[in-house]
Amino acid sequence: GLRGGSSVSGSRWLPEPDVPATDPRHHQRAASAWLAGGDPWKVTEGGIPFAAGPHTLLFYAPTSILPLSVSVAVWMVLGAAAAIWMVRRLDIPIWWIAFPPLAHALWNGNPQSIVLALLVAGGTIAAIGAVGLKLYAAVPLIFRPRQLLLVGVALAITLPLFPCQLYINDGFGVTSHLSSAW
């Protein structure tokens, strides 16, 4: 297939026509490793180590009880539903689903489409979910300081649940990736 580099989150910059859904498979396998007492940042998918932040693991924990293929399907459907809802909510033509960043997220199964839909939905709970899935979702919350503060509190409360020491020991999830990518 068409191989691209990978981003810091572990997703691929270019979709691989023969390998869809790499991200939910990668995230789910990392969450399952964490729940089994292992190191999620040692989990690789297509030779690329898991690189998402520890907070992301919490969202994939509930689907760890499912077989991997079912979990991947659930995340793919959630991503597609979020993208369709968001496009409809923004009242833009449905073909915006084919806009490359969104189409890329859908093909790879990256939770970015879910994050964007949560930010479009608005509200503090949605903001907490968005930032929990992807820390960079906090950037637009700079203009919503009350929500940003509440998101920070929610992340701080959940911090003890995460394998933070492993994350730090593994170079914040990106050291092995950066050494191989550069």
Side-chain angles (χ1 to χ4, degrees):
L2 177 65
R3 285 248 188 243
S6 66
S7 73
V8 174
S9 71
S11 66
R12 303 193 188 281
W13 287 108
L14 298 174
E16 294 187 48
D18 57 338
V19 187
T22 55
D23 287 353
R25 191 169 37 256
H26 203 181
H27 284 76
Q28 190 62 67
R29 290 179 54 237
S32 295
W34 167 55
L35 292 171
D39 185 343
W41 295 279
K42 299 289 187 220
V43 173
T44 62
E45 184 70 32
I48 298 169
F50 179 68
H55 53 280
T56 305
L57 298 168
L58 191 59
F59 289 86
Y60 288 82
T63 52
S64 291
I65 62 170
L66 302 171
L68 183 61
S69 60
V70 175
S71 171
V72 168
V74 165
W75 283 100
M76 293 297 285
V77 168
L78 285 173
I84 292 167
W85 176 86
M86 180 195 50
V87 165
R88 301 318 300 152
R89 172 75 183 259
L90 293 173
D91 198 26
I92 55 179
I94 195 70
W95 56 261
W96 272 83
I97 297 286
F99 181 60
L102 191 50
H104 177 268
L106 292 173
W107 179 261
N108 289 325
N110 194 287
Q112 295 169 125
S113 59
I114 298 168
V115 168
L116 189 53
L118 289 168
L119 290 173
V120 167
T124 303
I125 300 298
I128 290 169
V131 176
L133 275 168
K134 296 281 188 176
L135 278 178
Y136 61 70
V139 172
L141 298 179
I142 291 171
F143 301 105
R144 300 183 214 164
R146 182 178 168 277
Q147 280 188 348
L148 185 58
L149 177 65
L150 292 172
V151 165
V153 168
L155 290 179
I157 289 170
T158 60
L159 198 58
L161 299 172
F162 306 128
C164 293
Q165 192 59 50
L166 287 175
Y167 184 60
I168 293 166
N169 293 347
D170 287 326
F172 300 97
V174 297
T175 300
S176 63
H177 169 71
L178 290 175
S179 65
S180 64
W182 296 102

